[in-house]
Amino acid sequence: GPLDRADLRQVIEEPARLRGVAFEPGLVDRLLVDIGDGLGQLPLLQFALTQLWDRQSDGWVTHEAFDAIGGVRGALAGYAEEVFAELSATQQEQAHHIFLTLVQPALDATDVRRMATRSEIGEQRWPLVQHLANARLLVTNHNPRTGETVELAHEALIREWARLQAWVELDREFQTWRQRTRAALAAWQESPTDETTLLNGLRLLEAERWLAERDDEIS
């Protein structure tokens, strides 16, 4: 579970103190506010503290450095952009597909992360998934029922990484359709003899259109 504020303060201050480095007054409080509550605090904090450590000056971690990295969540977005920039053009195109597959878009609510299977991502793109997992942007796992899976390491990527936000917004119509189709597929798999679970009419025409336009992104 998440650490309380006192433990988080110790996590931030003590490793630095043991190396003779201190935080400017009030900076730890800003870090704690930016981290927020809930799960996933420590990985986000790790990104921020690593970048702040590289920017320490004369034994001090400063407010100026904190502002420069864009705060805790800005640090994650900056790191994601650095990782993306180091990819080849082909890998960047694959990453575009991977990240979009791992976002569940919402028409009137907040977009959230979703888990995808290896078959959804595709064998050709899976080596890049492993690379991005090593870079701590993705998390892979193994599900006994569905096999290998992958999801975003932090839902904050959706909110803070401008590139991913732009991808999702530009592709919202397709992603929303794909989400609906996954639900329709699940319903059909539950009742494969029930003809009402099949795509028909306008739903079928829409599916045929997307299949013709984006067949490489439909498992």
Side-chain angles (χ1 to χ4, degrees):
L3 299 177
D4 61 28
R5 288 304 173 98
D7 288 336
L8 280 171
R9 184 178 293 277
Q10 188 175 14
V11 163
I12 294 169
E13 292 178 337
E14 286 302 300
R17 185 186 64 80
L18 292 172
R19 296 294 183 271
V21 175
F23 289 80
E24 283 188 338
L27 180 53
V28 175
D29 292 323
R30 291 184 67 190
L31 279 161
L32 291 173
V33 169
D34 219 12
I35 293 167
D37 299 319
L39 298 175
Q41 294 169 311
L42 292 181
L44 285 174
L45 182 60
Q46 179 188 17
F47 281 118
L49 291 178
T50 298
Q51 294 195 34
L52 288 173
W53 184 262
D54 292 338
R55 290 168 171 79
Q56 61 179 287
S57 177
D58 297 324
W60 287 96
V61 180
T62 65
H63 287 277
E64 182 181 359
F66 186 72
D67 292 335
I69 67 172
V72 172
R73 298 177 188 280
L76 174 59
Y79 174 77
E81 191 63 26
E82 289 175 10
V83 172
F84 181 80
E86 292 172 357
L87 301 177
S88 68
T90 299
Q91 287 176 319
Q92 288 183 351
E93 188 174 331
Q94 291 179 337
H96 183 180
H97 169 88
I98 292 168
F99 280 106
L100 280 177
T101 302
L102 301 180
V103 176
Q104 181 169 303
L107 291 176
D108 54 359
T110 303
D111 299 332
V112 296
R113 63 179 171 176
R114 65 173 296 272
M115 185 180 293
T117 62
R118 181 167 180 163
S119 62
E120 280 185 83
I121 298 297
E123 288 300 320
Q124 186 178 3
R125 302 183 183 99
W126 196 253
L128 182 57
V129 165
Q130 294 172 318
H131 172 77
L132 294 171
N134 290 337
R136 295 169 295 147
L137 291 179
L138 305 180
V139 175
T140 56
N141 210 328
H142 186 273
N143 184 306
R145 186 172 62 85
T146 60
E148 290 182 272
T149 62
V150 58
E151 62 183 325
L152 296 177
H154 309 287
E155 203 156 83
L157 278 168
I158 304 173
R159 299 188 297 272
E160 308 300 333
W161 189 16
R163 183 182 297 275
L164 181 54
Q165 286 180 332
W167 284 343
V168 172
E169 203 54 47
L170 286 172
D171 214 35
R172 187 170 296 277
E173 183 185 0
F174 173 69
Q175 298 301 328
T176 302
W177 169 81
R178 190 159 64 169
Q179 180 182 331
R180 290 199 311 268
T181 304
R182 291 189 189 107
L185 172 62
W188 174 79
Q189 289 173 329
E190 287 290 324
S191 304
T193 60
D194 182 357
E195 291 191 2
T196 64
T197 63
L198 297 174
L199 297 180
N200 55 62
L202 292 177
R203 294 169 66 209
L204 181 58
L205 289 174
E206 184 182 32
E208 290 175 336
R209 175 172 70 87
W210 284 123
L211 186 61
E213 294 178 9
R214 309 283 286 270
D215 66 306
D216 60 329
E217 298 178 58
I218 302 172
S219 65

